[in-house]
Amino acid sequence: MVEERNNGGKGWVGASLPRKEEDRLLRGRGKFAEDIKLREMLYLRFVRSPYAHARILSIDASAAEALPGVACVITGKEIAAETQPFIEIGPDHAQKIRDFPMAVDKAIYQGEPVAAVVAESPGIAEDAAEMVNVEYEALEPVVEAEEALTDRSVLHEAAGTNRVWNGVWEYGDVEQAFKDAAYVVNIDRLHFHRFSSTPLENNVIIGEWNPKDDRIYYGCNNSFPSFAIQFLAAHLKVHIDKIRVQTFDIGGSFGIKITSYPQMAVCALASKKAGGRPVKWVETRSEHMVASAHGNERTFRNTRVALDKNGVITAIDSKHIDDCGAYPRYEPLGCVIWSQVFCGVYRFKNARIDFWQAVTNKCPVGPNRGYSRMQHLWFLERVIDICAHEIGIAADEIRLRNYIRPEEFPYTTPNGCVYDSGNYPKMLEVAKGLIGWDEWRKKQIDAQHEGRMIGIGIGTTLDSGTNNFGQSQIINPYAPFSGNSQGANCKLDIYGEVVVAVGSCPQGQGHETTAAQVVADVLNIHPDLITVRTGFDTERNVHTGMSGTYASQFAVSGLSAVHGAAQKLKTEMKRLAAFLLETNEDELAFGVGEQGPEIKANATGKSINYWGLANIVNVNSAVLPESLYDVTLNCRYVWRAPFKVPDTKAKYGSLTLTYASQLHIAVVEVDRETFVPKIIDYVAVDDCGTVINPPIVEGQVYGATAHGIGAALMETCVYDEVGNMLTSTFSDYTPITSMNIPKIKYGHTSTPSPHSYSGAKGMGEGGAAPIHTISSALQDALFAHGIVINDSFNNADSIFRALKAHDGGQRAELVKLERKQASSAK
Amino acid sequence: MAIKFAGEFEVKKKPEEVYDFLTDPKRFASLLPDFQGLTIQDATHFTIKVNVGISYIKGSADVKMELAEADRPRRAQYKGQGSLAGGNVTMVAGFDLSPTEYGTRVKWQGDAQIFGRLASVAGGLLEPLGKKQVQKLIDGLQAALS
């Protein structure tokens, strides 16, 4: 152990340690919210609207209430009478949206809860829910965002419009750039499809409203509880300190579980109505698919791209329309979050993006791995590939001509974001080497001669992490959020055990392990000697208002907080040890002795172990001088990101602290008979700066790659014209499984971030690189057939239809190239 | 999700006889596939109970029907609405009658809108199943009017 205390002098940050969580989780010994059983617990089942848009004429729950075992039935009207609508982040008319956790007068998406039945068992609740008779008057549904903006049928009558938000981001001299361009490429319509995450564990909530003191307890798997309680306190009209939220092991979230606070409200209110008995809701898979949250769908219209004679993009002008589903809720933050990666990995300085967001009669959206940025990055990668094909420049070459150059970092984007570090040409070189680029190009030519359709595609993407909540003020200047913070606590327990508590709620990201690695380096001990308490608990008093697990930030915000708390503890330990060992603080050495972790005086060789230190502070304090009464060995540290509030009018400022990058290359073949696209080779190269734990990073890369491949080729939320979701089961949605994931060749480069104490960058979301890459490869395979890939979702059916449409000129309808000056781009 | 049906047939009965049959739920309703029962509210409103079995969704549904258009002996139109296991169905079914040399030509058209879980989990099955059931009904009508 002694020899291992500092990993042979290399330190623990960067070591390939197995995850501390593994033993528990792989043996089935994890503790999840569904495992929690409370005395006298009741079970809740929602009655959901079959209609995407319908007025509720009446609800007759008498038959359900009469069923033995039913405790109560609660309706949206009852909730509206007792609570305030949820806070709306959007400005102006969006403030008038009245959002309650269940439909009150009308349902505005299929699956929206209209009532909830609470019973002694899940089975009774399910049976009783079917006995609730709801009479509806069907209203005209709107399922497309562009159509919704016409306000032909308005969802939120109080708001008077389906438009949630609109704003223009404009920088440089766009029109001059178009005047000076050698080429102008016009792209009529691109579309990023709606898909979701399918975590192994669905949403689970236990809510208990104690009638004695009006305190509310939640045991749940919400992944951003500090945000949820801010919404819940105002909605439930209780002091925020009266709400306790506890999370446990969480079986995946990908952001989707941020938005379970409406159901949390219902469980608490149902508990109140049931006399304070705890109420548990366990979401079914179909409920999750239809009514939890989906990722944002976005349409890009009337895009114009100006390029110089070398194929360097000089300006982009486009209109983007985001579909946030029935309620904005966490939105319209997505209306600004995309601008963290405004120019992607490219250098263009002139741009105008006219951004709109609309509500539609579909499931509300929520943050979903790569939230809001992936849509924009896909758009930029489509732009680069379409321009490359139109002008006749190779996909790798046009990227090299447009990438931000390594020597330009830290790089300030047109909207004031500061990219910390990166080397995109190097990543391309590594990826090309791993996949065998030149050989594949030769094979591709041979295959084309045989009539085969093989394409090679590149996707370069960013994973912006640790966001500045001040960007919310670009959406609404009155939004009371800015900066970013994370809390951690590091202490010597009464018996000298090192215990770390963090405000995050990991869902498989290995926070227990990486936090232990950081503290181990500070105290010069082995990570196994450190206990890390994960799982959020408001009563640990660790969290800040931004604590949770989201937005690729734990490596920066979470571990900076852990590092700060460990440093505070170390400072206190040094003061105490210097007194006890009668030496100077700078004469002390941290390490591990025969009696465990200790501090030794270099000059005398005397030492005191951690138990001795903790004992004196906690149970033997009479020996302490008054000057050390402030030493608690229980240190909370709040890390704050060094952000300023952005210039909200100019939409200018630093919106994110770190920018991890991913570069993927895929070789895809489209079967000539069946049109099934198949990945035949795949490379993923990652740069997240300093790596805390390589296997954890590699695991995240594989996970994000699988997620993206699923989204690109298999997973899409299909709605029919009246708003029925047609992919509400796994047999229809077809989530990716291990059987569908190709062998992935993994590569890594590292440009440490100057913006984090360790050089690390958040990287868990992955930037949806496979979606960009597969679109790129498919276009490469099909461009010769007149196909331009204009949708992020492509399967055999859509490819067949595109090829069929080619007879009518799909490419000609979609893309127009203007050659304004004679040039020789190739 | 919308399903549309249309077709025509000819029977050796007078338009008045065909019209009277089609607008009498006691005679007409029992021809519906999986018919279980009928409750008549008034001259133009009645409720049919039918068995439903689509994939794992099984049970019975009460379908409220209204004779929305009654133009003897030329046209009859029904409107209906039913619910089952989290799904709702609304339908419009019309019959246009015209005299022919041998009897009556019956042109029929229907439009069903399906909402909710039925469409979500059994969407792919509904159209072929619906068309099969409609064909059964039409066959039954033709037989009854022969």
Side-chain angles (χ1 to χ4, degrees), chain A residues 45 50-51 110 130 136 720-722 724-729 732, chain B residues 1-2 81 85-88 90 113-117 119-121:
Chain A
R45 180 83 177 187
Y51 290 95
Q110 187 201 61
E130 294 204 356
Y136 297 96
D720 70 9
E721 69 284 355
V722 293
N724 287 310
M725 191 195 176
L726 302 180
T727 47
S728 67
T729 67
D732 294 309
Chain B
M1 118 175 273
Q81 185 177 353
N88 274 28
T90 59
Q113 287 278 5
I114 297 136
F115 303 91
R117 206 188 309 170
S120 292
V121 303

mmCIF file of all heavy atoms in Angstrom, chain A residues 45 50-51 110 130 136 720-722 724-729 732, chain B residues 1-2 81 85-88 90 113-117 119-121:
data_model
loop_
_atom_site.group_PDB
_atom_site.id
_atom_site.type_symbol
_atom_site.label_atom_id
_atom_site.label_comp_id
_atom_site.label_asym_id
_atom_site.label_seq_id
_atom_site.Cartn_x
_atom_site.Cartn_y
_atom_site.Cartn_z
ATOM 1 N N ARG A 45 -50.750 5.575 -10.549
ATOM 2 C CA ARG A 45 -50.852 5.289 -11.990
ATOM 3 C C ARG A 45 -51.532 6.480 -12.665
ATOM 4 O O ARG A 45 -52.568 6.959 -12.193
ATOM 5 C CB ARG A 45 -51.698 4.036 -12.201
ATOM 6 C CG ARG A 45 -51.869 3.632 -13.644
ATOM 7 C CD ARG A 45 -50.694 2.829 -14.124
ATOM 8 N NE ARG A 45 -50.891 2.395 -15.486
ATOM 9 C CZ ARG A 45 -50.087 1.564 -16.117
ATOM 10 N NH1 ARG A 45 -49.030 1.080 -15.517
ATOM 11 N NH2 ARG A 45 -50.316 1.217 -17.357
ATOM 12 N N PRO A 50 -55.464 10.106 -24.689
ATOM 13 C CA PRO A 50 -55.171 9.452 -25.969
ATOM 14 C C PRO A 50 -55.021 10.463 -27.095
ATOM 15 O O PRO A 50 -54.507 10.150 -28.161
ATOM 16 C CB PRO A 50 -56.385 8.551 -26.194
ATOM 17 C CG PRO A 50 -57.485 9.205 -25.435
ATOM 18 C CD PRO A 50 -56.865 9.933 -24.285
ATOM 19 N N TYR A 51 -55.478 11.677 -26.860
ATOM 20 C CA TYR A 51 -55.479 12.707 -27.904
ATOM 21 C C TYR A 51 -54.243 13.605 -27.779
ATOM 22 O O TYR A 51 -53.807 13.925 -26.676
ATOM 23 C CB TYR A 51 -56.712 13.604 -27.780
ATOM 24 C CG TYR A 51 -58.004 12.922 -28.129
ATOM 25 C CD1 TYR A 51 -58.789 12.356 -27.139
ATOM 26 C CD2 TYR A 51 -58.436 12.835 -29.450
ATOM 27 C CE1 TYR A 51 -59.979 11.726 -27.440
ATOM 28 C CE2 TYR A 51 -59.628 12.205 -29.768
ATOM 29 C CZ TYR A 51 -60.395 11.653 -28.763
ATOM 30 O OH TYR A 51 -61.566 11.023 -29.082
ATOM 31 N N GLN A 110 -50.268 13.619 -26.742
ATOM 32 C CA GLN A 110 -50.731 12.274 -26.443
ATOM 33 C C GLN A 110 -49.919 11.717 -25.273
ATOM 34 O O GLN A 110 -48.685 11.776 -25.296
ATOM 35 C CB GLN A 110 -50.538 11.366 -27.654
ATOM 36 C CG GLN A 110 -51.153 10.008 -27.451
ATOM 37 C CD GLN A 110 -50.542 8.968 -28.380
ATOM 38 O OE1 GLN A 110 -49.365 8.703 -28.334
ATOM 39 N NE2 GLN A 110 -51.371 8.427 -29.242
ATOM 40 N N GLU A 130 -58.016 2.476 -15.533
ATOM 41 C CA GLU A 130 -58.827 2.191 -16.726
ATOM 42 C C GLU A 130 -60.310 2.457 -16.486
ATOM 43 O O GLU A 130 -61.091 2.499 -17.428
ATOM 44 C CB GLU A 130 -58.600 0.746 -17.168
ATOM 45 C CG GLU A 130 -57.177 0.538 -17.646
ATOM 46 C CD GLU A 130 -57.030 -0.630 -18.592
ATOM 47 O OE1 GLU A 130 -58.025 -1.330 -18.822
ATOM 48 O OE2 GLU A 130 -55.920 -0.812 -19.089
ATOM 49 N N TYR A 136 -63.684 13.733 -23.924
ATOM 50 C CA TYR A 136 -62.860 14.717 -24.624
ATOM 51 C C TYR A 136 -63.608 15.294 -25.814
ATOM 52 O O TYR A 136 -64.468 14.646 -26.403
ATOM 53 C CB TYR A 136 -61.596 14.053 -25.186
ATOM 54 C CG TYR A 136 -60.655 13.462 -24.182
ATOM 55 C CD1 TYR A 136 -60.705 12.096 -23.862
ATOM 56 C CD2 TYR A 136 -59.672 14.237 -23.568
ATOM 57 C CE1 TYR A 136 -59.822 11.537 -22.959
ATOM 58 C CE2 TYR A 136 -58.782 13.676 -22.661
ATOM 59 C CZ TYR A 136 -58.856 12.329 -22.369
ATOM 60 O OH TYR A 136 -57.983 11.766 -21.484
ATOM 61 N N ASP A 720 -47.916 10.381 -36.159
ATOM 62 C CA ASP A 720 -48.781 10.485 -37.333
ATOM 63 C C ASP A 720 -49.400 11.882 -37.380
ATOM 64 O O ASP A 720 -49.106 12.739 -36.539
ATOM 65 C CB ASP A 720 -49.834 9.363 -37.372
ATOM 66 C CG ASP A 720 -50.901 9.495 -36.292
ATOM 67 O OD1 ASP A 720 -50.949 10.540 -35.615
ATOM 68 O OD2 ASP A 720 -51.688 8.549 -36.121
ATOM 69 N N GLU A 721 -50.246 12.122 -38.357
ATOM 70 C CA GLU A 721 -50.736 13.478 -38.609
ATOM 71 C C GLU A 721 -51.650 14.008 -37.510
ATOM 72 O O GLU A 721 -51.876 15.213 -37.428
ATOM 73 C CB GLU A 721 -51.434 13.551 -39.985
ATOM 74 C CG GLU A 721 -52.754 12.796 -40.093
ATOM 75 C CD GLU A 721 -52.607 11.289 -40.206
ATOM 76 O OE1 GLU A 721 -51.476 10.783 -40.301
ATOM 77 O OE2 GLU A 721 -53.654 10.603 -40.184
ATOM 78 N N VAL A 722 -52.171 13.103 -36.649
ATOM 79 C CA VAL A 722 -53.017 13.593 -35.556
ATOM 80 C C VAL A 722 -52.300 13.554 -34.214
ATOM 81 O O VAL A 722 -52.898 13.757 -33.170
ATOM 82 C CB VAL A 722 -54.361 12.834 -35.462
ATOM 83 C CG1 VAL A 722 -55.214 13.123 -36.673
ATOM 84 C CG2 VAL A 722 -54.144 11.339 -35.276
ATOM 85 N N ASN A 724 -50.491 10.937 -32.843
ATOM 86 C CA ASN A 724 -50.221 9.657 -32.188
ATOM 87 C C ASN A 724 -48.744 9.357 -32.328
ATOM 88 O O ASN A 724 -48.197 9.430 -33.429
ATOM 89 C CB ASN A 724 -50.984 8.513 -32.873
ATOM 90 C CG ASN A 724 -52.467 8.535 -32.593
ATOM 91 O OD1 ASN A 724 -52.880 8.628 -31.452
ATOM 92 N ND2 ASN A 724 -53.262 8.456 -33.653
ATOM 93 N N MET A 725 -48.102 8.985 -31.224
ATOM 94 C CA MET A 725 -46.720 8.548 -31.352
ATOM 95 C C MET A 725 -46.725 7.073 -31.732
ATOM 96 O O MET A 725 -47.272 6.236 -30.999
ATOM 97 C CB MET A 725 -45.958 8.742 -30.049
ATOM 98 C CG MET A 725 -44.466 8.545 -30.255
ATOM 99 S SD MET A 725 -43.587 8.327 -28.731
ATOM 100 C CE MET A 725 -41.947 8.006 -29.358
ATOM 101 N N LEU A 726 -46.134 6.768 -32.868
ATOM 102 C CA LEU A 726 -46.222 5.414 -33.416
ATOM 103 C C LEU A 726 -45.041 4.542 -33.007
ATOM 104 O O LEU A 726 -44.955 3.385 -33.406
ATOM 105 C CB LEU A 726 -46.325 5.470 -34.939
ATOM 106 C CG LEU A 726 -47.507 6.282 -35.482
ATOM 107 C CD1 LEU A 726 -47.511 6.276 -37.004
ATOM 108 C CD2 LEU A 726 -48.829 5.754 -34.941
ATOM 109 N N THR A 727 -44.125 5.113 -32.231
ATOM 110 C CA THR A 727 -42.943 4.347 -31.821
ATOM 111 C C THR A 727 -42.849 4.323 -30.303
ATOM 112 O O THR A 727 -41.852 4.723 -29.719
ATOM 113 C CB THR A 727 -41.667 4.973 -32.426
ATOM 114 O OG1 THR A 727 -41.730 6.398 -32.196
ATOM 115 C CG2 THR A 727 -41.546 4.712 -33.893
ATOM 116 N N SER A 728 -43.913 3.849 -29.671
ATOM 117 C CA SER A 728 -43.970 3.918 -28.213
ATOM 118 C C SER A 728 -43.508 2.634 -27.541
ATOM 119 O O SER A 728 -43.562 2.527 -26.325
ATOM 120 C CB SER A 728 -45.391 4.235 -27.767
ATOM 121 O OG SER A 728 -46.231 3.150 -28.078
ATOM 122 N N THR A 729 -43.085 1.665 -28.320
ATOM 123 C CA THR A 729 -42.534 0.445 -27.727
ATOM 124 C C THR A 729 -41.153 0.209 -28.335
ATOM 125 O O THR A 729 -40.825 0.745 -29.393
ATOM 126 C CB THR A 729 -43.401 -0.781 -28.026
ATOM 127 O OG1 THR A 729 -43.337 -1.048 -29.432
ATOM 128 C CG2 THR A 729 -44.852 -0.561 -27.632
ATOM 129 N N ASP A 732 -41.053 -0.978 -31.886
ATOM 130 C CA ASP A 732 -41.246 0.024 -32.941
ATOM 131 C C ASP A 732 -40.097 1.047 -32.960
ATOM 132 O O ASP A 732 -39.684 1.501 -34.015
ATOM 133 C CB ASP A 732 -42.565 0.777 -32.721
ATOM 134 C CG ASP A 732 -43.769 -0.140 -32.882
ATOM 135 O OD1 ASP A 732 -43.833 -0.824 -33.908
ATOM 136 O OD2 ASP A 732 -44.599 -0.180 -31.983
ATOM 137 N N MET B 1 -54.127 8.504 -36.126
ATOM 138 C CA MET B 1 -53.940 7.742 -37.355
ATOM 139 C C MET B 1 -55.290 7.571 -38.024
ATOM 140 O O MET B 1 -56.283 7.303 -37.365
ATOM 141 C CB MET B 1 -53.224 6.441 -37.004
ATOM 142 C CG MET B 1 -53.926 5.164 -37.268
ATOM 143 S SD MET B 1 -52.844 3.759 -36.912
ATOM 144 C CE MET B 1 -52.001 3.565 -38.434
ATOM 145 N N ALA B 2 -55.294 7.789 -39.309
ATOM 146 C CA ALA B 2 -56.558 7.781 -40.042
ATOM 147 C C ALA B 2 -56.634 6.546 -40.938
ATOM 148 O O ALA B 2 -55.646 6.156 -41.556
ATOM 149 C CB ALA B 2 -56.664 9.041 -40.885
ATOM 150 N N GLN B 81 -68.152 7.193 -31.632
ATOM 151 C CA GLN B 81 -66.962 7.410 -30.812
ATOM 152 C C GLN B 81 -66.895 6.327 -29.751
ATOM 153 O O GLN B 81 -67.893 6.017 -29.093
ATOM 154 C CB GLN B 81 -67.013 8.795 -30.143
ATOM 155 C CG GLN B 81 -65.735 9.094 -29.385
ATOM 156 C CD GLN B 81 -65.729 10.481 -28.762
ATOM 157 O OE1 GLN B 81 -66.636 11.278 -28.996
ATOM 158 N NE2 GLN B 81 -64.720 10.757 -27.978
ATOM 159 N N ALA B 85 -58.951 0.888 -23.446
ATOM 160 C CA ALA B 85 -57.571 0.745 -22.963
ATOM 161 C C ALA B 85 -56.682 1.913 -23.367
ATOM 162 O O ALA B 85 -55.620 1.741 -23.949
ATOM 163 C CB ALA B 85 -56.981 -0.561 -23.491
ATOM 164 N N GLY B 86 -57.113 3.097 -23.036
ATOM 165 C CA GLY B 86 -56.269 4.261 -23.313
ATOM 166 C C GLY B 86 -56.304 4.725 -24.740
ATOM 167 O O GLY B 86 -55.554 5.627 -25.125
ATOM 168 N N GLY B 87 -57.168 4.134 -25.552
ATOM 169 C CA GLY B 87 -57.277 4.575 -26.935
ATOM 170 C C GLY B 87 -58.694 5.036 -27.238
ATOM 171 O O GLY B 87 -59.644 4.603 -26.581
ATOM 172 N N ASN B 88 -58.817 5.938 -28.159
ATOM 173 C CA ASN B 88 -60.130 6.398 -28.583
ATOM 174 C C ASN B 88 -60.258 6.258 -30.100
ATOM 175 O O ASN B 88 -59.272 6.405 -30.829
ATOM 176 C CB ASN B 88 -60.336 7.876 -28.227
ATOM 177 C CG ASN B 88 -60.857 8.046 -26.811
ATOM 178 O OD1 ASN B 88 -60.599 7.209 -25.952
ATOM 179 N ND2 ASN B 88 -61.583 9.117 -26.574
ATOM 180 N N THR B 90 -62.775 7.611 -33.306
ATOM 181 C CA THR B 90 -63.930 8.346 -33.825
ATOM 182 C C THR B 90 -64.116 7.924 -35.271
ATOM 183 O O THR B 90 -63.135 7.673 -35.974
ATOM 184 C CB THR B 90 -63.743 9.873 -33.753
ATOM 185 O OG1 THR B 90 -62.589 10.217 -34.506
ATOM 186 C CG2 THR B 90 -63.575 10.356 -32.336
ATOM 187 N N GLN B 113 -60.664 7.685 -37.215
ATOM 188 C CA GLN B 113 -59.475 8.289 -36.620
ATOM 189 C C GLN B 113 -59.201 7.557 -35.326
ATOM 190 O O GLN B 113 -60.082 7.434 -34.479
ATOM 191 C CB GLN B 113 -59.706 9.777 -36.309
ATOM 192 C CG GLN B 113 -59.729 10.685 -37.520
ATOM 193 C CD GLN B 113 -58.330 11.069 -37.984
ATOM 194 O OE1 GLN B 113 -57.356 10.580 -37.453
ATOM 195 N NE2 GLN B 113 -58.251 11.928 -38.985
ATOM 196 N N ILE B 114 -57.976 7.101 -35.180
ATOM 197 C CA ILE B 114 -57.640 6.338 -33.976
ATOM 198 C C ILE B 114 -56.612 7.125 -33.172
ATOM 199 O O ILE B 114 -55.624 7.626 -33.716
ATOM 200 C CB ILE B 114 -57.097 4.949 -34.353
ATOM 201 C CG1 ILE B 114 -58.227 4.206 -35.079
ATOM 202 C CG2 ILE B 114 -56.685 4.152 -33.135
ATOM 203 C CD1 ILE B 114 -57.785 3.500 -36.268
ATOM 204 N N PHE B 115 -56.872 7.255 -31.899
ATOM 205 C CA PHE B 115 -56.016 8.051 -31.031
ATOM 206 C C PHE B 115 -55.532 7.194 -29.862
ATOM 207 O O PHE B 115 -56.268 6.343 -29.376
ATOM 208 C CB PHE B 115 -56.786 9.242 -30.443
ATOM 209 C CG PHE B 115 -57.405 10.144 -31.470
ATOM 210 C CD1 PHE B 115 -58.690 9.925 -31.917
ATOM 211 C CD2 PHE B 115 -56.684 11.214 -31.988
ATOM 212 C CE1 PHE B 115 -59.270 10.745 -32.858
ATOM 213 C CE2 PHE B 115 -57.265 12.047 -32.926
ATOM 214 C CZ PHE B 115 -58.556 11.814 -33.375
ATOM 215 N N GLY B 116 -54.327 7.481 -29.404
ATOM 216 C CA GLY B 116 -53.869 6.896 -28.156
ATOM 217 C C GLY B 116 -53.146 5.588 -28.318
ATOM 218 O O GLY B 116 -52.573 5.286 -29.364
ATOM 219 N N ARG B 117 -53.190 4.804 -27.245
ATOM 220 C CA ARG B 117 -52.359 3.613 -27.164
ATOM 221 C C ARG B 117 -52.655 2.613 -28.282
ATOM 222 O O ARG B 117 -51.766 1.922 -28.762
ATOM 223 C CB ARG B 117 -52.564 2.937 -25.809
ATOM 224 C CG ARG B 117 -51.366 2.114 -25.390
ATOM 225 C CD ARG B 117 -51.620 1.284 -24.158
ATOM 226 N NE ARG B 117 -52.181 2.053 -23.061
ATOM 227 C CZ ARG B 117 -52.652 1.470 -21.948
ATOM 228 N NH1 ARG B 117 -52.633 0.169 -21.821
ATOM 229 N NH2 ARG B 117 -53.162 2.203 -20.986
ATOM 230 N N ALA B 119 -53.340 3.201 -31.370
ATOM 231 C CA ALA B 119 -52.567 3.573 -32.558
ATOM 232 C C ALA B 119 -51.079 3.404 -32.303
ATOM 233 O O ALA B 119 -50.325 2.977 -33.172
ATOM 234 C CB ALA B 119 -52.859 5.026 -32.941
ATOM 235 N N SER B 120 -50.645 3.702 -31.066
ATOM 236 C CA SER B 120 -49.218 3.666 -30.773
ATOM 237 C C SER B 120 -48.657 2.252 -30.791
ATOM 238 O O SER B 120 -47.586 2.017 -31.316
ATOM 239 C CB SER B 120 -48.961 4.282 -29.399
ATOM 240 O OG SER B 120 -49.240 5.649 -29.442
ATOM 241 N N VAL B 121 -49.378 1.327 -30.180
ATOM 242 C CA VAL B 121 -48.781 -0.004 -30.077
ATOM 243 C C VAL B 121 -49.286 -0.980 -31.138
ATOM 244 O O VAL B 121 -48.679 -2.013 -31.350
ATOM 245 C CB VAL B 121 -48.991 -0.632 -28.678
ATOM 246 C CG1 VAL B 121 -48.438 0.261 -27.601
ATOM 247 C CG2 VAL B 121 -50.446 -0.948 -28.428
#
